[in-house]
């Protein structure tokens, strides 16, 4: 599916509107985690067929929209198990726990691709926020195998719940909590950690209008399934410094 097809499918996806107040609502689970459930949606390809967890190419960036039609997420099989039960803390001091990656090897992660520093995110024109494979170089830090925002070189380690390891960002990227079922199909079920959705929706109205024709579409909740494609098919220019 090309970029135009992806946006068209997203436009046709089953959605429900949510009240703006729910965007800032954050649920704190009893065990102290910073976690909010949204619709449980299946990751599918351009034909509507489920994406199979075991077929993901290692260390390749995929993109899907969740939990809103205009909030991009990056999906990566990092090729090795993540750490488990990693303790993280949001900017405002709330502690939460990243329990680990999904899939047989606990190596599949997804993050809300909105930089915690100044909201850089993948767009059809370019993407400054990407996973940088271990074999590639980044100016953000010596070790690759991290998400890097090349706007100001923040790095986030997917093995540790997208914790900040370099740059000006002050809290981890929000994680998209995934489930892989017995059919090897991938589901997004919620968001873990502090998200930037409220600021993001406030900041990019003209961009949403350009991409979706109507900026309110960007704020609609994704339901049932979410098309998932290679980031290189979505964006013209993947930028890594
Ligand atoms: S916006 Fe991402 S590091 Fe500044």
């Amino acid at each position: 599916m090309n970029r135009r097809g992806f946006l068209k499918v997203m436009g046709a996806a089953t959605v429900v509107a949510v009240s703006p107040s729910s965007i800032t609502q954050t649920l704190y689970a009893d065990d102290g985690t910073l976690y909010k459930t949204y619709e449980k949606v299946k990751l599918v390809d351009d034909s509507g067929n489920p994406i199979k967890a075991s077929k993901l190419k290692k260390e390749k960036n995929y993109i899907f929209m969740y939990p809103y039609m205009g909030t991009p997420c990056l999906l990566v099989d990092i090729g090795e198990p993540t750490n488990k039960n990693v303790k993280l803390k949001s900017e405002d001091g709330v502690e939460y726990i990243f329990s680990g990656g999904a899939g047989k090897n606990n190596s599949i992660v997804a993050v809300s691709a909105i930089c915690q520093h100044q909201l850089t995110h993948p767009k059809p024109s370019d993407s400054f926020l990407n996973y940088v494979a271990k074999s590639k170089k980044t100016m953000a830090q010596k070790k690759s195998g991290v998400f890097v925002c090349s706007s100001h070189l923040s790095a986030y380690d997917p093995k540790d719940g997208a914790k900040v390891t370099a740059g000006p960002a002050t809290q981890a990227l929000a994680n998209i909590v995934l489930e892989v079922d017995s059919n090897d199909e991938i589901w997004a079920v919620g968001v873990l950690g502090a998200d930037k959705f409220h600021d993001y929706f406030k900041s990019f109205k003209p961009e949403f209008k350009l991409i979706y024709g109507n900026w309110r579409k960007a704020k609609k909740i994704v339901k049932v399934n979410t098309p998932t494609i290679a980031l290189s098919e979505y964006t013209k220019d993947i930028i890594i410094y």
Side-chain angles (χ1 to χ4, degrees):
M1 191 189 298
N2 60 21
R3 177 172 45 253
R4 185 170 296 192
F6 178 73
L7 293 170
K8 206 167 151 199
V9 171
M10 284 310 300
T14 311
V15 295
V16 293
V18 291
S19 71
S21 61
S22 67
I23 291 165
T24 51
Q25 183 189 20
T26 302
L27 301 183
Y28 297 87
D30 290 339
D31 61 358
T33 54
L34 183 54
Y35 177 56
K36 183 174 178 188
T37 54
Y38 288 88
E39 293 292 324
K40 181 171 177 172
V41 304
K42 193 185 281 188
L43 275 56
V44 298
D45 66 14
D46 47 345
S47 307
N49 297 317
I51 298 281
K52 298 286 187 172
S54 57
K55 297 279 192 271
L56 292 174
K57 290 209 174 121
K58 303 272 185 292
E59 297 202 275
K60 177 173 175 157
N61 283 279
Y62 296 87
I63 187 166
F64 62 96
M65 298 292 165
Y66 187 81
Y68 302 98
M69 282 178 59
T71 48
C73 304
L74 291 174
L75 169 76
V76 183
D77 182 338
I78 63 169
E80 60 180 323
T82 67
N83 293 320
K84 286 189 178 169
N85 299 322
V86 179
K87 277 194 192 159
L88 294 157
K89 204 186 257 188
S90 68
E91 264 165 12
D92 57 7
V94 178
E95 290 189 344
Y96 62 99
I97 292 171
F98 168 72
S99 59
K104 255 194 271 174
N105 301 321
N106 302 114
S107 59
I108 301 172
V109 299
V111 292
S112 174
I114 301 170
C115 183
Q116 295 284 10
H117 179 225
Q118 286 180 0
L119 310 177
T120 287
H121 55 277
K123 295 176 286 191
S125 55
D126 54 55
S127 179
F128 279 73
L129 177 53
N130 313 288
Y131 173 80
V132 180
K134 294 174 202 84
S135 59
K136 297 203 170 144
K137 287 210 158 100
T138 168
M139 288 161 65
Q141 59 179 39
K142 275 193 187 150
K143 218 172 131 237
S144 297
V146 289
F147 290 102
V148 172
C149 176
S150 290
S151 288
H152 312 99
L153 298 176
S154 286
Y156 303 91
D157 191 343
K159 282 181 85 171
D160 281 334
K163 182 169 135 182
V164 179
T165 52
T170 51
Q171 62 185 357
L173 290 172
N175 278 263
I176 306 303
V177 178
L178 301 174
E179 286 176 12
V180 176
D181 67 18
S182 54
N183 295 321
D184 200 31
E185 295 170 6
I186 310 171
W187 300 78
V189 299
V191 178
L192 176 73
D195 66 64
K196 286 283 185 189
F197 300 145
H198 183 69
D199 294 348
Y200 173 80
F201 284 128
K202 250 180 34 191
S203 305
F204 298 107
K205 280 186 187 175
E207 178 186 313
F208 298 143
K209 195 166 176 223
L210 203 67
I211 297 176
Y212 304 97
N214 173 346
W215 69 266
R216 284 188 184 84
K217 268 194 188 167
K219 285 171 88 168
K220 291 185 174 175
I221 282 262
V222 178
K223 283 187 92 178
V224 184
N225 59 41
T226 185
T228 304
I229 61 172
L231 179 64
S232 55
E233 289 173 30
Y234 172 75
T235 191
K236 281 188 193 147
D237 208 0
I238 292 180
I239 293 157
I240 297 172
Y241 293 134

